[in-house]
Amino acid sequence: MSAPSAPPEPPRTPKVTEREARRVAEAAREQDWRKPSFAKELFLGRFRLDLIHPHPLPADQDARRGEEFLARLRVFCETRIDGALIEREARIPDEVINGLKELGALGMKISTEYGGLGLTQVYYNKALALIGSASPAIGALLSAHQSIGVPQPLKIFGTQEQKDTFLPRLARTDISAFLLTEPDVGSDPARLATSAVPEGDDYVLDGVKLWTTNGVVADLLVVMARVPESDGHRGGITAFVVEADAPGITVEHRNAFMGLRGLENGVTRFHRVRVPAAHRIGPEGAGLKIALTTLNTGRLSLPAMCVGAGKWSLKIAREWSAAREQWGRPVARHEAVGAKISFIAATTFALEAMVDLASQMADEDRNDIRIEAALAKLYGSEMGCLIADELVQIRGGRGFETADSLAARGERAVPAEQLLRDLRINRIFEGSTEIMHLLIAREAVDAHLKVAGDLIDPDRPWSAKARAGADAAGFYARWLPKLVTGPGLLPGAYGEFHPAGHPDLSVHLRHVERSARRLARSTFYAMSRWQGRMETKQGFLGRIVDLGAELFAMSAACVRAELLRTTGEHGREAYQLADVFCRQSRIRVEELFTRLWSNTDDLDRRVVDGVLSGTYTWLEEGVVDPSGDGPWIADATPGPSTKENVHRPVR
């Protein structure tokens, strides 16, 4: 008999051009807008206040179920979670995870028909804010499990058989993880190297995944792998549900980070791992679309936990600044410190307004919230870090000192420096700030690209450009005149936001309306000026997105303040916070508009060219490099593991 043929060698990291990478990303994004979007309209210069006001509210039964769970969760956080212990031991105790399972926390977003709690997005996010304040590591574990792990892709794209098989486990006992990133592949999935080769009724997985949050303790994995194109297989990046203890899977390393020390994040190797075809989620080639769709609402979990961090920061800033005296009075009464406290309070109010509004819109499913969720993630992660940094500054030397050290010398163990470390990852998690800028900018200019994209695409034939020219002429003839004037110029517009005895929020909404039109005009001018080079102007696009984030935040803050006023819940105070936030935000907006056209982008590129060519190596002299040896990127060649499996099932 002849020797059996060797299995096909899995492909190495593909070499792709920038254009090919963009094509893969474009194919994965949702192409159509079947529902209205407040943020999309905002970028087009149309302030559709009717899409968010009156503020949507949860159904009574949803609110009742959510509040009941939050009450049980609060007791659990106060009696069963020792955040300081998790920080010291860099591990969430098994008994805590088992307690979360008994509480039903693994199934917060899973329907009751599968044994879950069936919470709305609003109450799921409130739960994450609460538990994240007790331990950010636990918040990350639950978020990774439900926001991007196996449950959400199955809920949207899974077959009935897959839901029946996996969701009951995920609701009560099994922890899930999401595996996309590879040692040499981050936000550029076109270069994904992990392969899934069809063999009979199975796929055989080979490859290495990096930064697998929950991967060290997971029972089920959702894995993105590339299926090679062949007869009967369209191929492409595909999603699979994989049993974490399947033969050939090795967790080779548990990663350690500057923050979130209890995070069970590792490096996972797949070697000849057989996965039944029945465990494939969706068709071949749909993996990236599944991942991006999952993140449309999944991204809301991060700003939700930033809201929790802001609330805790405000509490500590209030208590400390009233107790600490300097030069004869509490430090809060000194303007330099008071300004920081005002920023923390106003920004926390606005962040909660953004998250609650986007979450309720997600629950109602009347609007497309892909941009709103992305803006909330971007804005929440950036502002959350600023809030934590200001808290450390308010605390002074005690802010830099660890909680354990404070307690050891007899003072209150306030983990301010830990908060700063823990929040820093949110600017990188689930799309870095830079990637979020590009992702949101692409959605923001979608209407322009639909009518004029062929005009600026150098690969399109002249016939397509001619058709696009005619379409664009009609679109802009109707659109541009509407950017000249609007309600923002009318003194009495949005008058319901100026009730007697309250600060005037209508003036801020008029500013948002005017700024939205100004933003749209700036975008149009930039597209006319740079055309096909627009995609390379990342500095400009980032500022456009930041402007949209500020305008969305102001809108959400005003709408939330009016909701609280009409429901009799701290309405006057809410109006005060919304007013202060909008005034702070308007200063940032004016700076961003100025920096659209007055910046150092071109000079920065020249300096970068010089740095990369070695022009400034003389500037690096006079120091030693404490870095260790080793490659910048670890070898991820497919093959059997040579390391100990550090996978740790929770007992």
Side-chain angles (χ1 to χ4, degrees):
M1 294 179 61
S2 60
S5 59
E9 182 178 348
R12 306 296 171 87
T13 302
K15 301 295 184 183
V16 297
T17 65
E18 182 177 0
R19 182 166 293 276
E20 289 169 338
R22 292 181 183 277
R23 190 176 298 121
V24 169
E26 182 66 18
R29 64 176 288 273
E30 195 171 349
Q31 303 291 326
D32 299 319
W33 296 85
R34 300 181 181 88
K35 299 173 184 176
S37 165
F38 172 79
K40 175 176 176 287
E41 293 293 304
L42 202 62
F43 281 109
L44 285 171
R46 299 191 284 251
F47 180 45
R48 291 286 309 278
L49 184 62
D50 61 296
L51 293 177
I52 61 173
H53 174 69
H55 194 295
L57 291 170
D60 289 343
Q61 64 270 25
D62 291 334
R64 186 165 51 251
R65 184 167 61 245
E67 293 294 342
E68 289 172 355
F69 177 71
L70 288 179
R72 298 197 304 273
L73 183 62
R74 174 173 289 278
V75 172
F76 185 89
C77 290
E78 292 174 344
T79 61
R80 302 280 297 277
I81 296 177
D82 185 343
L85 177 69
I86 294 172
E87 173 72 4
R88 284 194 301 271
E89 297 189 352
R91 171 172 167 168
I92 303 171
D94 285 3
E95 57 268 25
V96 173
I97 297 178
N98 287 325
L100 292 168
K101 294 178 180 180
E102 294 168 5
L103 195 64
L106 292 188
M108 286 187 285
K109 286 194 70 180
I110 298 176
S111 171
T112 54
E113 67 179 298
Y114 300 108
L117 298 180
L119 298 187
T120 63
Q121 186 72 38
V122 168
Y123 278 97
Y124 169 66
N125 285 339
K126 289 181 182 295
L128 288 178
L130 174 59
I131 203 162
S133 67
S135 168
I138 296 179
L141 180 142
L142 293 176
S143 172
H145 166 68
Q146 290 173 90
S147 298
I148 60 174
V150 178
Q152 193 67 9
L154 285 188
K155 176 183 176 181
I156 303 174
F157 298 99
T159 65
Q160 190 59 52
E161 181 181 1
Q162 289 171 339
K163 294 175 183 178
D164 292 340
T165 300
F166 296 117
L167 289 182
R169 293 169 54 184
L170 293 161
R172 291 292 177 182
T173 60
D174 287 18
I175 299 171
S176 71
F178 174 74
L179 279 64
L180 171 63
T181 305
E182 298 176 359
D184 196 25
V185 180
S187 298
D188 181 11
R191 301 173 60 249
L192 197 79
T194 297
S195 65
V197 179
E199 280 193 13
D201 293 331
D202 298 335
Y203 290 85
V204 179
L205 270 61
D206 284 277
V208 178
K209 294 293 186 180
L210 176 63
W211 296 325
T212 60
T213 298
N214 288 359
V216 179
V217 296
D219 305 287
L220 287 170
L221 316 172
V222 56
V223 181
M224 298 293 166
R226 183 183 301 277
V227 177
E229 185 177 353
S230 62
D231 289 341
H233 293 277
R234 61 172 290 184
I237 298 173
T238 306
F240 299 90
V241 178
V242 182
E243 299 280 357
D245 61 355
I249 297 180
T250 305
V251 179
E252 296 188 330
H253 181 69
R254 183 187 187 275
N255 301 318
F257 303 101
M258 67 180 283
L260 292 181
R261 287 174 50 79
L263 195 69
E264 298 291 354
N265 180 296
V267 177
T268 302
R269 178 177 292 271
F270 297 86
H271 176 61
R272 302 289 295 164
V273 178
R274 303 192 74 86
V275 179
H279 289 190
R280 187 189 70 217
I281 309 175
E284 290 182 356
L288 288 184
K289 184 178 290 291
I290 290 172
L292 289 177
T293 303
T294 298
L295 283 171
N296 279 345
T297 54
R299 283 196 175 99
L300 288 171
S301 63
L302 291 185
M305 286 185 280
C306 290
V307 169
K311 288 174 177 286
W312 180 79
S313 296
L314 180 60
K315 177 180 184 294
I316 296 301
R318 172 179 58 82
E319 294 176 350
W320 165 250
S321 299
R324 170 64 164 160
E325 290 193 358
Q326 189 82 357
W327 297 316
R329 53 180 172 166
V331 293
R333 298 300 181 186
H334 292 281
E335 192 172 88
V337 175
K340 299 179 187 301
I341 297 173
S342 174
F343 168 77
I344 292 173
T347 305
T348 298
F349 177 82
L351 290 183
E352 186 170 38
M354 293 177 78
V355 172
D356 275 9
L357 178 60
S359 299
Q360 186 58 46
M361 289 195 294
D363 287 331
E364 290 190 342
D365 202 26
R366 288 190 295 110
N367 294 337
D368 187 322
I369 63 141
R370 73 182 90 159
I371 300 183
E372 287 85 346
L375 287 173
K377 188 274 176 187
L378 169 70
Y379 199 74
S381 59
E382 290 291 324
M383 288 301 189
C385 282
L386 289 177
I387 287 172
D389 190 64
E390 293 288 42
L391 177 64
V392 168
Q393 192 70 17
I394 290 170
R395 289 274 291 160
R398 290 171 174 85
F400 193 67
E401 190 173 359
T402 68
D404 279 351
S405 177
L406 288 165
R409 61 182 186 80
E411 291 194 2
R412 184 175 300 184
V414 178
E417 60 84 29
Q418 181 190 335
L419 180 72
L420 187 59
R421 290 187 287 105
D422 287 342
L423 285 180
R424 184 58 181 83
I425 187 57
N426 289 339
R427 296 174 60 201
I428 301 171
F429 259 167
E430 296 179 20
S432 69
T433 291
E434 294 72 26
I435 292 300
M436 296 305 297
H437 277 152
L438 298 181
L439 183 152
I440 298 169
R442 172 61 187 88
E443 301 294 355
V445 301
D446 186 55
H448 299 283
L449 294 180
K450 274 184 166 56
V451 298
D454 286 349
L455 278 174
I456 61 177
D457 187 342
D459 293 338
R460 299 297 291 164
W462 282 108
S463 58
K465 291 181 181 293
R467 288 193 299 271
D471 292 341
F475 172 80
Y476 290 118
R478 296 187 302 272
W479 178 67
L480 286 171
K482 297 177 181 178
L483 301 182
V484 177
T485 186
L489 297 173
L490 302 176
Y494 314 114
E496 67 268 34
F497 288 86
H498 189 193
H502 292 67
D504 184 3
L505 298 186
S506 68
V507 66
H508 302 311
L509 292 178
R510 292 195 292 273
H511 176 270
V512 171
E513 196 278 336
R514 295 193 304 272
S515 297
R517 288 186 284 109
R518 183 181 177 188
L519 179 63
R521 292 194 301 268
S522 299
T523 304
F524 174 74
Y525 174 71
M527 291 190 67
S528 303
R529 175 179 175 181
W530 291 314
Q531 299 185 27
R533 293 185 295 123
M534 179 80 160
E535 65 184 19
T536 69
K537 302 296 182 178
Q538 294 181 4
F540 178 89
L541 292 173
R543 295 176 198 111
I544 287 288
V545 170
D546 287 340
L547 280 162
E550 294 284 1
L551 299 182
F552 177 40
M554 279 193 277
S555 304
C558 291
V559 169
R560 182 175 183 82
E562 176 62 8
L563 169 68
L564 296 180
R565 184 189 72 84
T566 56
T567 57
E569 298 181 24
H570 311 292
R572 192 178 305 278
E573 297 84 0
Y575 256 70
Q576 291 171 347
L577 289 171
D579 179 49
V580 171
F581 173 77
C582 287
R583 292 181 186 278
Q584 294 172 355
S585 179
R586 288 173 65 168
I587 294 171
R588 295 190 290 267
V589 164
E590 288 307 311
E591 180 185 355
L592 285 165
F593 270 124
T594 298
R595 290 178 57 216
L596 285 179
W597 313 110
S598 178
N599 53 64
T600 61
D601 291 350
D602 292 337
L603 293 174
D604 294 340
R605 278 189 286 273
R606 293 178 200 169
V607 171
V608 170
D609 289 340
V611 170
L612 295 180
S613 65
T615 302
Y616 308 120
T617 53
W618 53 268
L619 190 57
E620 301 166 9
E621 296 173 1
V623 299
V624 294
D625 184 355
S627 307
D629 296 328
W632 287 107
I633 299 171
D635 179 36
T637 303
S641 180
T642 60
K643 299 182 180 180
E644 176 188 358
N645 189 357
V646 297
H647 181 249
R648 179 176 70 84
V650 176
R651 302 300 184 190

